[in-house]
Amino acid sequence: RNAGADVWPVREQDMNTQEMIVVRGGPGYAETGNWSASARTGYGGQASRQATTSLSGATSTASWTFTPTASGRYAVYVWYNIADSTLQAPDAQYLVTQDGGTSEVRIDQRAHGASWRYIGTFPFVGGVSGKVTLTNSSSASGKIVLADAVRVGGGMGTERGDGPPPS
């Protein structure tokens, strides 16, 4: 964020060679509470998961756990699709558990979906699990939060079109 505006870098800002991607339904992903399949396709072509927002605190969580091999500061990104911007939460709560404790980040899920959304750079310890948790806690009643994937680190180019051509 820059003076209250979203900033979308053209180049990767994390120069770490390690990249960890955790997807819903895969190893490192867990849910608590009431989640259901969304009608929209999310990261990797699978259905997104959705939970209805709660005004009284988190009643549902989706967590992505990962373990970096080296200590350092890693950029963290989230992926969610836009099902219907009138239905999605304006303040989806993400909790990043890292070396310095737990940091809260609020993201407007009504915009900038279907791409890696940068939520911050955080310190992680090599060999120690880190975690990103999405909750359904929101100031908006009757909305949804969408869970898809989390990416940590810059990596060497795993997305189609990145990195060297296949051999």
Side-chain angles (χ1 to χ4, degrees), residues 27-129:
Y29 178 78
E31 294 176 352
T32 65
N34 191 16
W35 291 86
S36 62
S38 168
R40 297 292 180 149
T41 302
Y43 182 81
Q46 296 180 328
S48 298
R49 301 287 290 164
Q50 68 182 40
T52 303
T53 56
S54 169
L55 296 175
S56 60
T59 59
S60 297
T61 64
S63 298
W64 297 263
T65 303
F66 53 90
T67 304
T69 58
S71 297
R73 294 181 55 78
Y74 291 84
V76 176
Y77 304 84
V78 297
W79 183 289
Y80 54 89
N81 208 338
I82 297 181
D84 180 341
S85 63
T86 64
L87 297 178
Q88 288 175 244
D91 58 350
Q93 180 188 49
Y94 288 90
L95 303 172
V96 181
T97 305
Q98 30 81 17
D99 186 38
T102 300
S103 300
E104 177 188 62
V105 179
R106 294 278 181 168
I107 295 294
D108 184 350
Q109 281 197 344
R110 299 173 300 179
H112 306 302
S115 65
W116 288 117
R117 177 83 186 263
Y118 173 74
I119 64 169
T121 299
F122 304 94
F124 294 99
V125 176
V128 177
S129 293

Side-chain angles (χ1 to χ4, degrees), residues 52-55 88-91 136-144:
T52 303
T53 56
S54 169
L55 296 175
Q88 288 175 244
D91 58 350
N136 68 331
S137 176
S138 176
S139 63
S141 177
K143 303 294 183 182
I144 61 170

